[in-house]
Amino acid sequence: MPVARPEPQEPRVIAHVDMDCFYVQVEQRRNPALRGQPTAVVQYNDWKGGGLIAVSYEARAFGVKRSMRGDEAKSVCPGINLVQVPVARGKADLNLYRSAGSEVVTILASKGKCERASIDEVYLDLTDAAKEMLLQAPPNSPDEIFMEAAKSNILGLPSDASEKEKNVRAWLCRVDAEYEDKLLACGAIIVAQLRGRVLEETQFTCSAGIAHNKMLAKLVSGMHKPAQQTVVPSSSVQDFLASLPVKKMKQLGGKLGSSLKDDLGVETIGDLLSFTEDKLQEQYGVNTGTWLWKIARGISGEEVEDRLLPKSHGCGKTFPGPKALKNSTSVKGWLDQLCEELSERIQSDLNQNKRIAQTLTLHARASKENERDSVKKFPSKSCPLRYGIGKIQDDAMKLFESGLHEFLESQSTGWSITSLSVTASKIFDIPSGTSSILRYIKGPSSAASLDLPASSSVPEDPSLDNQLNVTPIHGEQCEPSTSEKVDGKRYSANEGKKISKKLPEVKASHPRFLIL
Ligand code: DCP
Ligand code: CA
Ligand code: CA
């Protein structure tokens, strides 16, 4: 549920950085012959040439899109290079892309608080760095970094192309500017510098949004791509939001966004301005109402978290069309593979970063025989996570069986599964000097594992769900899920799910580690 956070008194400088056609760039670095060529990365799949998951800008110019399959991409762009995602255990192995993302994060984290938001995105809080720059060397230097910053797109400046750079340069070093605009100008220079370092050290280009809050920075980071940055001065916010379709905001992509449109006739974020806070609260509850009132004005107090590592780990696979799984044996076979990868990833997170995941969740997509159009969704299930491949596999299968039982509503009918994923979440840092937890998890002989009380249903994570829709799946999730409760109903990108308690008790055999 979106909740408005109190906004800080002082103006902040926040950037959202997103890599350009990321997997393609990683592949182009591996094979420089692909540079400057129409290229796409395809998901492991032999059906119609595989699903595209990343498309180079050269290929986009031919009309190639991520929704296409390899065969279709070839028909619109015969010269396209299709690169297969690396495969392990019969599914995409994203480790290469994950570690490339980490290289970038390390560079971007050098100038302020940095939050890894997805495999190829971060938020940065550059407020302190911008203040420092303003005190020491206000922006006016004609050096390389300044030249790059002068290529920024600044919302609200006259869009006369021939004069653009001159106008931007003037904006960046205006002496009579408001303090908050001066800070933003420093932010634009710092981001230009960081993007330059990323290019130099990793060979990757990225795009960025620079604004006074996360929401605005994120909304504009993809506005001018590739390899460009966009700045949102406060004076431009109202016009920008006036024409911004509600669905462009992540939290409004689902039912809440549809309700705004259907029930209030709101098409753009700016349209929300015609409603009082009371009216919005009456319609959507106190929290969501206030949040909507604030976003209409470009206000968002959400902080950049200090987190360079992902919030959760997920492994999934889709089984489209004839590949659908139709019996427990094949589900078990695939779940075992997914759990093996998940186990390796959480184990290496534990070894390298001293982090422990507490919750195991199973998501699936299913349909019943002869009921292809049924709206009933396979309920997502979770339970406390026990370390060890075998335990994770057993628990995941129990979660699956419990979800299937509920999904089938006691009917004995055929079913098919078109996607499966397991996620490890609620990850926390082991306090330094705590060795007992490690012994707990690793020691095979001692009371080494965790108990497993009854599982519970959880709302699916829409960010994962979106990915499942299109076959490719990021292996890690960094953003919070975006479901909202509106008037007592749960609104989210995935409708129709609810919290249910009716689940078989899974035998508990070991003490919990959390009491440590
Ligand atoms: N990805 C995926 N499945 C999806 C979406 C993305 O596997 N449905 C992967 C491939 C992308 C990477 O994640 O390269 C980052 O996704 P983005 O949405 O940021 O898209 P790109 O970086 O490819 O392109 P852009 O330049 O538009 O950001
Ligand atoms: Ca990207
Ligand atoms: Ca992205």
Side-chain angles (χ1 to χ4, degrees), residues 165-442:
E165 236 175 278
K166 201 177 114 211
N167 291 338
V168 173
R169 222 173 287 156
W171 187 88
L172 287 174
C173 25
R174 237 177 37 185
V175 277
D176 60 342
E178 302 267 335
Y179 174 66
E180 58 171 28
D181 275 357
K182 285 186 177 170
L183 276 185
L184 221 46
C186 291
I189 291 171
I190 294 163
V191 172
Q193 183 183 16
L194 286 170
R195 289 180 38 242
R197 273 190 59 200
V198 168
L199 182 60
E200 208 172 286
E201 293 175 34
T202 68
Q203 305 173 29
F204 300 145
T205 65
C206 54
S207 299
I210 301 130
H212 290 301
N213 62 47
K214 279 172 94 170
M215 171 185 104
L216 293 168
K218 163 92 179 165
L219 285 171
V220 300
S221 63
M223 197 180 237
H224 298 96
K225 263 183 169 276
Q228 294 183 67
Q229 57 186 51
T230 306
V231 183
V232 194
S234 296
S235 55
S236 70
V237 171
Q238 202 172 328
D239 280 355
F240 169 56
L241 296 178
S243 57
L244 189 77
V246 285
K247 298 267 170 187
K248 292 270 177 189
M249 292 234 12
K250 192 177 167 210
Q251 297 90 330
L252 300 180
K255 217 171 172 183
L256 178 57
S258 304
S259 162
L260 284 172
K261 200 168 168 188
D262 301 342
D263 302 329
L264 298 183
V266 168
E267 303 273 347
T268 71
I269 300 290
D271 290 346
L272 283 167
L273 285 172
S274 47
F275 298 92
T276 62
E277 188 172 1
D278 282 352
K279 168 71 187 164
L280 293 168
Q281 287 186 337
E282 188 187 303
Q283 189 87 14
Y284 297 109
V286 175
N287 287 328
T288 304
T290 298
W291 179 78
L292 288 167
W293 188 87
K294 287 192 167 171
I295 62 159
R297 288 152 184 82
I299 302 171
S300 159
E302 201 191 329
E303 297 244 359
V304 174
E305 287 173 40
D306 202 354
R307 179 169 54 72
L308 305 187
L309 297 166
K311 234 178 173 164
S312 63
H313 299 284
C315 303
K317 180 159 173 77
T318 53
F319 308 95
K323 295 193 181 276
L325 311 179
K326 302 200 167 171
N327 58 58
S328 293
T329 314
S330 50
V331 168
K332 168 119 184 68
W334 278 108
L335 262 188
D336 281 355
Q337 308 252 26
L338 295 173
C339 291
E340 209 176 298
E341 182 189 329
L342 187 69
S343 177
E344 264 174 29
R345 301 232 324 263
I346 58 174
Q347 195 62 52
S348 92
D349 201 1
L350 173 64
N351 297 341
Q352 289 172 15
N353 310 313
K354 306 283 174 282
R355 300 202 309 162
I356 294 185
Q358 297 179 79
T359 302
L360 175 70
T361 302
L362 176 120
H363 298 288
R365 265 180 199 284
S367 60
K368 289 182 211 165
E369 205 167 52
N370 308 326
E371 272 190 56
R372 296 252 171 266
D373 302 327
S374 161
V375 286
K376 182 156 174 72
K377 295 213 167 173
F378 193 99
S380 295
K381 296 284 167 190
S382 51
C383 68
L385 193 152
R386 304 186 298 156
Y387 276 66
I389 295 177
K391 294 192 185 87
I392 295 175
Q393 288 171 332
D394 287 353
D395 294 347
M397 194 60 199
K398 283 180 185 137
L399 293 176
F400 172 78
E401 281 160 356
S402 134
L404 184 65
H405 180 77
E406 205 173 294
F407 175 72
L408 294 177
E409 295 168 312
S410 313
Q411 299 159 1
S412 58
T413 171
W415 46 268
S416 57
I417 297 289
T418 50
S419 86
L420 273 180
S421 78
V422 280
T423 306
S425 61
K426 303 242 169 68
I427 302 180
F428 73 93
D429 292 325
I430 302 173
S432 52
T434 317
S435 61
S436 50
I437 292 182
L438 291 177
R439 274 210 310 279
Y440 240 76
I441 291 163
K442 284 179 174 169

Side-chain angles (χ1 to χ4, degrees), residues 18 118 120-121:
D18 181 274
S118 83
D120 80 330
E121 286 166 41

Side-chain angles (χ1 to χ4, degrees), residues 18-19 21-23 53 57 60 66 120 225 470 472 474:
D18 181 274
M19 307 308 293
C21 55
F22 187 45
Y23 290 10
I53 54 176
Y57 282 81
R60 292 184 204 194
R66 179 144 71 194
D120 80 330
K225 263 183 169 276
V470 283
H474 290 315

